[in-house]
Amino acid sequence: QKEVEQDPGPLSVPEGAIVSLNCTYSNSAFQYFMWYRQYSRKGPELLMYTYSSGNKEDGRFTAQVDKSSKYISLFIRDSQPSDSATYLCAITNAGKSTFGDGTTLTVKP
Amino acid sequence: DTGVSQDPRHKITKRGQNVTFRCDPISEHNRLYWYRQTLGQGPEFLTYFQNEAQLEKSRLLSDRFSAERPKGSFSTLEIQRTEQGDSAMYLCASSLAGDGEQYFGPGTRLTVT
């Protein structure tokens, strides 16, 4: 079993929809929780970063962490075609990040 | 802030050849990481440095792989005697020590024929 499991998708939604992306993890020692966006053949771009349970909001993006359930989510409000990409969750302990395999999102105009 | 840069962006090589990639981190970041990513998978950790010290190496990093960061600034990743299974995107990231925020470069795409 992988240390970080991500809902595989792919996900296709109409423009304006609310998107929910989810990951679970198994190692309680994980300290930092991140979401990255990756366009085809590009490096991952850091979207959200948090280290505590609860919600963190940045514009249309909300990252949610539930350490008791070992569950993290990323919500995208008012999704746009430009949000179409692969989203990766990443969880870090002692410098090393473990990534999910990504969820590919398509937002249709 | 110019971000993390990697060179080359693409490399095609024949099986058995050696290749070397370079990563220049964000200037004030003292941690530097190497990851490998194959199609449909998330990045897999290979190794990381704090300044010039290599602090951890993954079991994925076979004896054909070596990474250096001689002056605590840029880093190189060398693959000796490349195999077709080495074909992947090699990603570099950097961060401040103790900071979980890792910033990635554009990657080097390696194709071994």
Side-chain angles (χ1 to χ4, degrees):
Chain A
Q1 184 182 1
K2 290 189 171 185
E3 284 191 296
V4 179
E5 298 274 4
Q6 184 166 359
D7 287 353
L11 208 53
S12 180
V13 301
E15 184 174 354
I18 296 173
V19 176
S20 171
L21 303 164
N22 306 294
C23 289
T24 58
Y25 62 95
S26 57
N27 187 347
S28 306
F30 284 132
Q31 298 173 302
Y32 301 101
F33 306 89
M34 290 165 285
W35 285 95
Y36 288 85
R37 176 173 61 194
Q38 187 173 31
Y39 294 110
S40 181
R41 297 180 175 267
K42 304 288 186 184
E45 172 195 4
L46 182 63
L47 281 178
M48 300 286 289
Y49 156 76
T50 185
Y51 54 86
S52 59
S53 281
N55 293 350
K56 180 177 181 179
E57 192 173 313
D58 184 0
R60 296 183 297 110
F61 298 91
T62 299
Q64 186 176 83
V65 174
D66 182 344
K67 288 189 176 182
S68 62
S69 302
K70 300 190 182 70
Y71 193 87
I72 66 171
S73 298
L74 178 71
F75 298 96
I76 307 174
R77 289 184 300 281
D78 187 25
S79 55
Q80 302 295 309
S82 58
D83 294 329
S84 298
T86 296
Y87 290 79
L88 296 158
C89 63
I91 310 180
T92 299
N93 179 42
K96 170 188 164 182
S97 285
T98 303
F99 284 77
D101 286 334
T103 301
T104 298
L105 171 68
T106 302
V107 181
K108 296 185 176 180
Chain B
D1 180 0
T2 57
V4 178
S5 61
Q6 292 186 244
D7 184 69
R9 296 292 307 277
H10 304 276
K11 179 71 177 178
I12 300 173
T13 191
K14 292 186 177 180
R15 190 168 45 128
Q17 298 295 304
N18 298 345
V19 294
T20 300
F21 309 140
R22 176 178 169 128
C23 172
D24 287 88
I26 294 171
S27 56
E28 64 268 27
H29 286 179
N30 50 10
R31 282 196 177 174
L32 186 149
Y33 310 80
W34 286 99
Y35 292 86
R36 180 171 67 187
Q37 186 178 27
T38 53
L39 197 63
Q41 306 290 314
E44 292 178 295
F45 172 81
L46 293 178
T47 188
Y48 88 96
F49 294 84
Q50 179 157 319
N51 300 314
E52 64 274 14
Q54 189 172 18
L55 296 187
E56 186 170 346
K57 291 169 58 173
S58 164
R59 286 170 295 181
L60 292 174
L61 215 65
S62 76
D63 56 6
R64 296 186 299 106
F65 288 70
S66 62
E68 293 183 342
R69 194 183 184 198
K71 296 182 180 179
S73 56
F74 73 91
S75 175
T76 57
L77 177 68
E78 181 183 17
I79 308 174
Q80 296 182 329
R81 305 181 303 281
T82 53
E83 301 173 355
Q84 286 190 316
D86 297 331
S87 295
M89 174 83 92
Y90 289 84
L91 293 161
C92 176
S94 70
S95 74
L96 293 169
D99 191 317
E101 297 177 77
Q102 296 181 21
Y103 294 88
F104 281 82
T108 294
R109 181 167 297 280
L110 173 66
T111 302
V112 182
T113 62

